[in-house]
Amino acid sequence: MFDNLSDRLGGVFDRLRGRGALGEADVREAMREVRIALLEADVALPVVRRFIDAVTEKAIGQDVLRSITPGQQVVKIVNDELVEMLGGQGHEGLELDVKPPAVVMMVGLQGSGKTTSTAKLARYLKQKHGKKALMASLDVQRPAAQEQLKVLGEQAEVATLPIIEGQQPVDIARRALEASRLQSFDVLLLDTAGRLHVDEALMAEMNAVARVSNPAEVLLVVDALTGQDAVNVAQSFSGEVPLTGVILTRMDGDARGGAALSMRHVTGKPIKFAGTGEKLDALEAFDPERVAGRILGMGDVVSLVEKA
Amino acid sequence: RKTSERLSSNLTGAVGTARLDDATLDDVEDALIVSDLGPAAASRIRGRLAEQRFGLQITPQELKEAVAEEIAAILRPVAKPIEIVAFPRPQVILVIGVNGSGKTTTIAKLAHWFQEDDYEVMLAAGDTFRAAAIGQLATWAERLDVPIVRGPEGGDPASIVFDGVKAATDRGTDALIVDTAGRLQNKRELMDELEKIRRVLGRLNPEAPHDVVLVLDATNGQNALSQIEVFQQVAGVTGLIMTKLDGTARGGVLVAAAEQYGLPIHAIGVGEKMDDLRPFDPDLVARVIAGVA
Ligand SMILES: Nc1nc2c(ncn2[C@@H]2O[C@H](COP(=O)(O)OP(=O)(O)OP(=O)(O)O)[C@@H](O)[C@H]2O)c(=O)[nH]1
Ligand SMILES: Nc1nc2c(ncn2[C@@H]2O[C@H](COP(=O)(O)OP(=O)(O)OP(=O)(O)O)[C@@H](O)[C@H]2O)c(=O)[nH]1
Ligand SMILES: [Mg+2]
Ligand SMILES: [Mg+2]
């Protein structure tokens, strides 16, 4: 199996060396390889289709730069479009410019990394932005979920809402808001229980929490290892709550991370951060260029093309 | 809504014509890709269908059945339950996998499963790293009313699992299930630690661990194959359990895994509660992926 798109395209274009412009038939043949590369990277099929259409249109008729091969040229076009679709250049941070407390609500599937990311964000807001942050766990589903956030709060030196056994999520959210106002916290981070997007009761509960807490940010926490299901997840969550962004976790793994493209495309919201480890300092601004190279399996494509 | 109901529409779009042509085969292939089989496995199944029936008249129902049969033929040989057979006791079951895949919950489900067959179970809290991981397993132990061997947070997992084997051996417990911290397969240090845990388990009983169960998350895509490959190399995986099949993810990566690695598949997880574990039924999973069920 080919590891990266460049190798794949090598074969397609070998016989076309020295061409002036990219012809329609060649581009279509190349796009079959691009399609497979994206699917192997777990980009969701409907997103792959739309991406291929967009890139095909852009590539046909383009002059092949003298310095590089047609294969490299197509890789560059694909890469540029990918970077663009992943969010382009600038990093979008959090929008917390509201009357305090600014509420940040974390949502997502079970085990995606919500609790860990909550603590990472709180630590980040405290250290980088000098915010006074409070965290509250609304997870009454998973054993020891609230205890987990409490321990992480101690590690990050960020306050957590005292646990009251048996209190339900909406009531915990109200209590957390109250506490934030009384103790003048700048930011309130709400960690929620993992839920399946097909679980109507839990989706309704999440919606109820969003209504009482009026969050400035609702962040969908998604595992970078996610496969084709990313589309369903993105659609269902963005249909139920007003998402403002995505956090992509486990970017320290070796997954190609095609879910990033699916998320971005389906929700239309920026991927604001990447989780890159289990420790609380392992949070980075999402970098579209690096992720594009990774989806294509080839690191930094631009410098690769420039070298050619 | 049951998985089967949700998925029955999977291949319905895939049959516009009565004759099996390229367009229909394309649709079949796409449906398989959407189920996470990956482009390569999907294309192989497409190829086999084409070989047998290209140009022949086929009804939508027959087409789905044919796809299901192709998949079932791949999955049937790997369907194997976990059985408690170790002598001397305990049977040591090491549970491993990437972060958040469902290891700890699956351990509770397995323990419950064994209890229903009147086996005595003990748990060992080998995840000393993640915040409140011990508390999570301890809560399950309490609910199940089974003993748990635990150490301090941040302690050495190898020494806890050693204590676990000792305690379970002394008591003659039927099964000792060992929880481990989640780890991504590309983390060298953490994989070395896993190898060490494995080695220590064998110190008191050279047969241990009898089972090394890799827990896979159904919502994961093609990276699951890399998880299987690396965990197998490092820890000698003996079987798989796939969790979170109660969602819309179809776990098609199991088909590719069965073709490539042939590891036994023991069970599937279909919820967060202790009775949400089901034996792996290859025909049902195949029918669900193909949209017949
Ligand atoms: N390697 C790695 N592990 C992570 C990352 N983010 C979270 N984790 C780990 O993933 C596992 C699950 O994380 P949690 O934060 O508990 O996930 P969650 O979404 O709160 O889970 P539930 O509350 O059960 O739905 C833990 O083992 C975390 O340490 C990351 O960016 N990289
Ligand atoms: N819907 C559903 N959720 C599940 C299933 N199995 C586990 N979960 C949930 O997934 C989340 C993670 O499960 P854990 O058992 O904590 O996963 P883990 O692999 O032990 O996680 P770490 O120890 O942090 O690596 C929890 O919220 C579980 O309730 C399943 O079959 N279906
Ligand atoms: Mg959590
Ligand atoms: Mg665990």
Side-chain angles (χ1 to χ4, degrees), chain A residues 119 123 126-127 135 148-158 278-280, chain B residues 128-132 153:
Chain A
R123 179 185 174 277
K126 179 186 160 203
Q127 296 206 339
M135 303 192 287
Q148 183 188 358
L149 189 69
K150 177 170 175 278
V151 173
L152 294 175
E154 286 158 12
Q155 287 174 14
E157 297 178 21
V158 171
E278 298 185 69
K279 303 234 174 73
L280 296 183
Chain B
T128 59
F129 178 76
R130 207 206 67 200
E153 298 234 5

Side-chain angles (χ1 to χ4, degrees), chain A residues 110-131:
Chain A
Q110 284 97 347
S112 59
K114 295 172 295 300
T115 306
T116 311
S117 301
T118 305
K120 287 178 181 178
L121 264 190
R123 179 185 174 277
Y124 164 87
L125 289 171
K126 179 186 160 203
Q127 296 206 339
K128 296 267 156 62
H129 298 275
K131 301 271 189 197

Side-chain angles (χ1 to χ4, degrees), chain A residues 110-111 223 225-227 250 254, chain B residues 36 75 78 94-107 109-110 180 182-185 191 212-232 237-247 249-271 276-277 280:
Chain A
Q110 284 97 347
D223 183 345
L225 313 181
T226 307
R250 307 208 181 104
D254 61 2
Chain B
D36 283 318
L75 292 179
V78 296
L94 178 64
V95 178
I96 61 178
V98 297
N99 310 82
S101 62
K103 295 173 293 299
T104 307
T105 312
T106 299
I107 288 171
K109 293 174 182 174
L110 276 174
T180 59
R183 67 200 78 223
L184 294 172
Q185 71 275 17
M191 294 308 275
V212 180
V213 175
L214 176 64
V215 176
L216 298 173
D217 180 335
T219 63
N220 281 189
Q222 300 308 299
N223 188 255
L225 295 174
S226 144
Q227 291 168 33
I228 295 172
E229 176 151 339
V230 179
F231 276 103
Q232 187 177 14
V237 174
T238 61
L240 309 173
I241 292 181
M242 179 167 269
T243 63
K244 307 186 195 175
L245 274 166
D246 45 330
R250 293 159 185 158
V253 78
L254 286 178
V255 179
E259 284 189 316
Q260 274 182 48
Y261 302 100
L263 281 169
I265 305 174
H266 297 311
I268 60 171
V270 293
D276 288 330
L277 191 69
F280 177 69

Side-chain angles (χ1 to χ4, degrees), chain A residues 38-110:
Chain A
L38 294 176
L39 289 171
E40 279 177 354
D42 289 319
V43 180
L45 183 63
V47 180
V48 171
R49 286 204 190 108
R50 260 169 278 166
F51 181 83
I52 296 279
D53 288 347
V55 178
T56 304
E57 210 171 293
K58 285 208 171 140
I60 292 173
Q62 282 219 11
D63 289 335
V64 178
L65 305 176
R66 240 171 303 126
S67 56
I68 61 178
T69 66
Q72 295 292 4
Q73 177 83 353
V74 171
V75 170
K76 185 168 167 7
I77 296 167
V78 169
N79 180 71
D80 291 352
E81 183 71 13
L82 205 47
V83 172
E84 195 51 42
M85 279 179 68
L86 284 169
Q89 307 293 331
H91 168 238
E92 293 189 51
L94 298 177
E95 213 33 86
L96 299 178
D97 214 3
V98 297
K99 183 168 163 278
V103 175
V104 180
M105 182 175 167
M106 313 289 271
V107 299
L109 294 183
Q110 284 97 347

